[in-house]
Amino acid sequence: MRISIFGLGYVGCILTAGYSHFGFNVVGVDIEQKKIEFINSGKSPVIEKGIEEYIARGKNENRISATNNTRYAIINSNVSFITVGTPSLANGEIDLTYTIRVCESIGHALKEKNSYHLIVFKSTLFPGTVENKLIPIIESLSNKKAGIDFGVCHNPEFLREGEGLSDFFAPSLTIIGELDKKSGDGLSEIYKVSEGLGMKSSPIIRTNIRIGEMIKYVNNSFHAMKVAFANEIGNIAMACNVDSHEIMDYFCMERLLNISTAYLKPGAPYGGSCLTKDLSALRYEAKKMGIKTTLLDSIEKSNNLHIEFCANLIEKQGKKSICILGLSFKEGTDDIRSSPIVKICEILYKRGHNIKIYDESFVNTERFGVNKRLLEGEYDFIKGMLRNSLSEAVNDSEVIVIKNNSDEYKKIKEMVNEDFTIIDFVRIFNKDELKVKYIGVSW
């Protein structure tokens, strides 16, 4: 079976690496030439643990290629995965620009294809989007009928940035939202083949497309809520001189009702593309339908208040020279979309602080795509703050803010003295390890 993947961002690159490992021939499709060149030279355009090795091997064994030619990709594949971005508009509504553009392109290409083709949407889409907006586009431009000439599924991804390959190879759950049985059978076969070649077996749920679309919003809105909830509890606990991490350790031991320990450590505000945009879109659609979502509305407000709390905590130290360790929204990735530390830096910058930033993932990555656009636009103010080494960032600083968890940042233990203040978002040290002023964020 031959696979085409539209969109060579995080999800698209993980799928390219993973499915090529299982012996599928994969052609990646993207409009950005630099990403195509990276893939075709056996390199990964994204930072992910272990991904470079898989892409290099797949390329060397002639199982991976990349192109900007949709017609070529469709004609030379049986299944197409759509992994393009679905960011938020200013009002919180989902932006379908890239998804519609891909569907139009696929529709034109399918017009020239005589055999059955399966289209699998991985992008996060609000319920009804595939059936009411995207299928009609493909049908009208291809002169073909969904369910007869081509199949359609929505197969949501549950990949954590920084752990994407691990999650791909060992999924906890697979949901196939299918237009019809034939569509679902085609996608199910890919998972059966993959499991036979090493993918960890997991429950495969076959349901309708709208369930497939909705589950990602439910998951990510809940994850966003857990982060905000933990930080509010952390702030209250800290004011009561209670160790909030110890409290949450006990809270998470109750697995029957509390379910999961993920996201439940007080510290950094949430950020990144998924939690931010999916929560916004869910709130927008609920409002459009006249449904009040008091708790969902409060999550973003709480997170923004926590961002202000973090900025004020840093400023309260009375120092002007600030070192920030970790720019991406989480460790193990170079993704700076909706990164809360960027917002904190902006607040401090406007208040006259001298800021230096170091993030090893961001230093070691190529600047293109979304990161490049952000640095040249909305995040232009941080370009002069970036440093190329840990020592360069730490030297002459008065306050060190540890935003992401990294073994490299532990080296500051040998670089600081009693004149430094360390503010730790992620509990990389214990308070008695350092003979400096050491402050935990919400713990």
Side-chain angles (χ1 to χ4, degrees), residues 67 83-84 113 159 181 187 190 193 230 238 255 401 413:
T67 181
T83 66
V84 296
K113 187 170 183 176
L159 306 175
K181 185 177 184 299
L187 181 53
I190 292 177
V193 171
M238 185 170 63
R255 301 297 180 88
V401 178
K413 186 176 180 179

Side-chain angles (χ1 to χ4, degrees), residues 80-93:
S80 295
F81 287 93
I82 314 302
T83 66
V84 296
T86 51
S88 294
L89 296 170
N91 62 0
E93 183 181 11

Side-chain angles (χ1 to χ4, degrees), residues 120-137:
V120 181
F121 291 94
K122 301 287 287 187
S123 303
T124 307
L125 301 166
F126 202 76
T129 303
V130 170
E131 293 167 304
N132 298 336
K133 294 182 180 179
L134 304 181
I135 288 178
I137 290 171

Side-chain angles (χ1 to χ4, degrees), residues 72-347:
Y72 172 84
I74 293 294
I75 297 299
N76 289 280
S77 65
N78 313 103
V79 181
S80 295
F81 287 93
I82 314 302
T83 66
V84 296
T86 51
S88 294
L89 296 170
N91 62 0
E93 183 181 11
I94 185 174
D95 184 355
L96 295 174
T97 301
Y98 306 115
T99 314
I100 289 172
R101 186 184 299 163
V102 165
C103 288
E104 290 172 342
S105 183
I106 289 175
H108 286 298
L110 281 179
K111 192 173 184 179
E112 302 180 41
K113 187 170 183 176
N114 296 322
S115 57
Y116 180 86
H117 194 89
L118 176 60
I119 300 169
V120 181
F121 291 94
K122 301 287 287 187
S123 303
T124 307
L125 301 166
F126 202 76
T129 303
V130 170
E131 293 167 304
N132 298 336
K133 294 182 180 179
L134 304 181
I135 288 178
I137 290 171
I138 298 170
E139 287 182 327
S140 65
L141 294 175
S142 66
N143 291 327
K144 296 183 185 295
K145 185 68 177 173
I148 299 175
D149 303 303
F150 65 93
V152 180
C153 290
H154 190 281
N155 178 217
E157 51 84 13
F158 305 114
L159 306 175
R160 298 166 295 168
E161 291 190 30
E163 299 292 338
L165 271 179
S166 298
D167 291 341
F168 175 85
F169 288 125
S172 57
L173 176 68
T174 297
I175 293 181
I176 297 176
E178 58 191 44
L179 178 68
D180 58 0
K181 185 177 184 299
K182 185 176 180 180
S183 299
D185 286 346
L187 181 53
S188 181
E189 184 62 25
I190 292 177
Y191 280 104
K192 288 178 183 176
V193 171
S194 299
E195 286 182 2
L197 293 170
M199 178 182 277
K200 182 182 176 183
S201 179
S202 67
I204 296 180
I205 308 299
R206 291 179 62 169
T207 182
N208 61 63
I209 284 179
R210 292 189 181 219
I211 293 290
E213 291 172 309
M214 186 68 182
I215 189 66
K216 189 67 179 296
Y217 283 106
V218 175
N219 285 11
N220 280 343
S221 296
F222 183 61
H223 297 329
M225 180 187 70
K226 287 191 288 185
V227 174
F229 170 76
N231 285 327
E232 288 187 2
I233 295 299
N235 291 339
I236 296 168
M238 185 170 63
C240 298
N241 197 28
V242 172
D243 187 330
S244 61
H245 279 220
E246 184 177 356
I247 287 289
M248 284 304 184
D249 284 339
Y250 303 150
F251 174 82
C252 293
M253 288 173 66
E254 205 290 277
R255 301 297 180 88
L256 181 62
L257 298 178
N258 296 345
I259 301 172
S260 171
T261 61
Y263 298 92
L264 283 172
K265 286 290 189 183
Y270 71 77
S273 166
C274 293
L275 303 192
T276 306
K277 72 182 182 65
D278 291 352
L279 176 61
S280 295
L282 188 61
R283 290 169 53 211
Y284 175 87
E285 295 293 340
K287 184 178 180 182
K288 200 163 65 173
M289 293 183 285
I291 299 170
K292 292 184 179 180
T293 54
T294 305
L295 177 59
L296 292 178
D297 292 344
S298 71
I299 293 172
E300 184 180 1
K301 294 175 184 176
S302 176
N303 199 57
N304 287 337
L305 283 172
H306 195 61
I307 287 171
E308 283 281 347
F309 169 84
C310 293
N312 291 338
L313 178 63
I314 296 168
E315 187 173 43
K316 195 164 66 175
Q317 307 313 308
K319 311 290 185 181
K320 285 296 182 182
S321 184
I322 313 295
C323 165
I324 305 289
L325 300 181
L327 178 63
S328 57
F329 83 93
K330 63 181 287 191
E331 58 269 13
T333 176
D334 62 335
D335 192 349
I336 61 172
R337 290 175 294 177
S338 299
S339 177
I341 198 65
V342 174
K343 296 178 183 178
I344 291 169
C345 286
E346 184 175 18
I347 293 170

